[in-house]
Amino acid sequence: MGDMIDLSGDGGLLKTIIRKAKIDALAPSESIPLVDVHYEGTLAETGEVFDSTHEDNTVFSFEIGSGTVIKAWDIALRTMKVGEVAKITCKPDYAYGSAGSPPDIPPNATLVFEVELVACRPRKGASLSSVSDEKARLLELKKQREMIAASKEEEKKKREEAKAAAAARIQAKLESKKHQGKGKGKAK
C-alpha cells in the first residue's frame, strides 16, 4: 500500500492508494465530472460493512461537486484516476457528522471506504469534444516527452561518436609520430 495522504489538511480525510492507475488514465475534471465507482464502506470502530457495490456487482454513479454525496467523496474522488483503488478514511465532519445515517451509520462515526474509480465521463448532453480534447492533449504531451527523450538520446549518440572520432584522430597522430622517426637517414 502507498503512503497515507491527508487530503483535508486537518487529518479528517485520509487517502491511501491501494492500486495506482495507469499514468495516462483519465481523472475527473470540470468537463468530465460524472464518475462511476465500486466501493465498500465500513465503520472504523467495528469494521462492520454498512454498504457495498461488490455484492450485487453494480457501480454507484454521481457528479463530483454537486453535493449528492458526503464531503469526503467529493474531495477524494477529485484526486483519483480511472483504475485507481484507494482506502479513504473520513472523520464525521467529512461524512455524516453528528446526525449519522440511521440505522446503519451511528452519530459521529468515522468511516472507511475502499473505492475504485471505474470511469468518468461528461454530463449528458455535454460535448464529448472536451473529453476528446483532454485525451488529445494527454496524447500530445506523451508524444512531446517521447520526442524530447529521442532527441536527448540522439544528442548523446552524436557526442559519443564525436568522442570516438576524436580519440581515433589522436591515436592516428600518435601512430604517425611513432613511424616518423623510423626510416629517416637509415637508407644506405
Side-chain angles (χ1 to χ4, degrees):
M1 266 208 266
D3 295 331
M4 192 176 291
I5 306 161
D6 185 349
L7 297 178
S8 59
D10 62 4
L13 178 56
L14 305 173
K15 173 184 160 186
T16 305
I17 297 173
I18 296 171
R19 183 181 75 213
K20 288 185 176 185
K22 292 181 180 176
I23 292 173
D24 59 349
L26 282 179
S29 67
E30 290 295 320
S31 61
I32 44 177
L34 299 175
V35 296
D36 297 334
V37 297
H38 274 302
Y39 71 92
E40 181 172 272
T42 59
L43 300 173
E45 191 174 312
T46 64
E48 179 185 339
V49 175
F50 61 83
D51 197 9
S52 176
T53 60
H54 296 294
E55 289 177 17
D56 56 3
N57 199 30
T58 59
V59 293
F60 176 66
S61 301
F62 69 96
E63 182 175 341
I64 290 181
S66 67
T68 57
V69 294
I70 60 174
K71 188 176 177 182
W73 277 38
D74 265 339
I75 295 169
L77 268 292
R78 289 177 199 264
T79 70
M80 295 178 70
K81 289 183 172 185
V82 173
E84 181 177 323
V85 177
K87 176 183 166 187
I88 299 168
T89 304
C90 43
K91 301 271 177 153
D93 288 346
Y94 294 90
Y96 293 98
S98 59
S101 184
D104 298 320
I105 302 170
N108 298 312
T110 295
L111 307 178
V112 178
F113 292 94
E114 184 172 301
V115 180
E116 175 184 7
L117 180 54
V118 177
C120 54
R121 58 192 188 288
R123 291 177 193 88
K124 284 188 179 180
S127 167
L128 286 176
S129 67
S130 58
V131 175
S132 297
D133 291 348
E134 181 69 10
K135 284 183 178 180
R137 186 184 70 77
L138 291 172
L139 184 60
E140 183 62 29
L141 286 173
K142 182 178 179 183
K143 285 181 183 177
Q144 286 176 357
R145 285 193 299 265
E146 289 170 353
M147 286 174 53
I148 290 169
S151 175
K152 286 182 179 179
E153 190 62 35
E154 185 65 27
E155 287 175 16
K156 181 179 176 185
K157 185 178 175 183
K158 285 180 181 177
R159 282 193 307 271
E160 288 172 357
E161 288 172 355
K163 283 182 186 177
R169 283 192 303 274
I170 291 170
Q171 187 64 35
K173 281 185 181 180
L174 291 174
E175 289 295 321
S176 71
K177 284 187 179 184
K178 278 186 190 177
H179 294 303
Q180 270 182 350
K182 294 179 182 175
K184 284 188 176 180
K186 293 185 180 180
K188 295 186 179 180

